Amino acid sequence: MKNLQETMKQLQKASESLSKLGFDPDHPWKALSQMGQVLDTNFWENIATLNKQAAQKAATAAPNVPSVKKGKKKSKVKPVGFVQVDDSHFTPASDIFQSEQMVIVSCELPGFDRDSLEITLSDQRWLEIKGIIKESGHQGIRTQGERSYGPFYRKLALPVSVSSKGMKAQYQDGLLEIYLMRGRAANERKTTFKASL
């Protein structure tokens, strides 16, 4: 906690220094030079420290999404679109396509751990996708971070009933595509797959 307070104080000092910079439209490079002095390696190390501490906190606070086993109880939940479990899980962007024979679900998952993928079909209308996106193994300080890492979870309401029989999944160019055949299968309430891609 002490390191966090020190880091926050150093970032606050840098912020105050930046707010005091004078900008002369005739000599903009002077202000840029001053910004470079304030935003030095120490500043980026502090940002990296905060990012790492936030990731550790999120990892320890993230609840484990339990494995879903084949069950016989029918869910009373009505399809409404998608459900996000909580803010500790990354929710990948997804598209759903429907043809006369099948439903195709496409999710953006660049860099995910293929062995962690678990797909669950419930009541022939709900598709749950979960796994882990691996963090980059690059050495050094990350100076810009826009990608999401860690566990992901997405629950989608499908537009029509589908069967788990003949379900296929493929992963290429950062996209996970799941192919499901349309139709109903008797006594198919919940089916969980550990996909191997």
Side-chain angles (χ1 to χ4, degrees), residues 116-134:
S116 73
L117 181 63
E118 189 173 305
I119 301 169
T120 303
L121 178 64
S122 303
D123 297 322
Q124 299 170 319
R125 293 291 299 262
W126 284 99
L127 188 69
E128 294 178 62
I129 306 163
K130 61 183 171 180
I132 298 171
I133 295 178
K134 297 181 284 190

Side-chain angles (χ1 to χ4, degrees), residues 83-99:
V83 178
Q84 183 173 344
V85 175
D86 57 39
D87 291 337
S88 67
H89 286 79
F90 167 63
T91 304
S94 302
D95 292 327
I96 300 175
F97 302 94
Q98 175 183 340
S99 71

Side-chain angles (χ1 to χ4, degrees), residues 16 55 79 91 95 123 158 168 179:
E16 289 171 1
T91 304
D95 292 327
D123 297 322
L158 301 175
K168 295 178 186 172
Y179 299 88

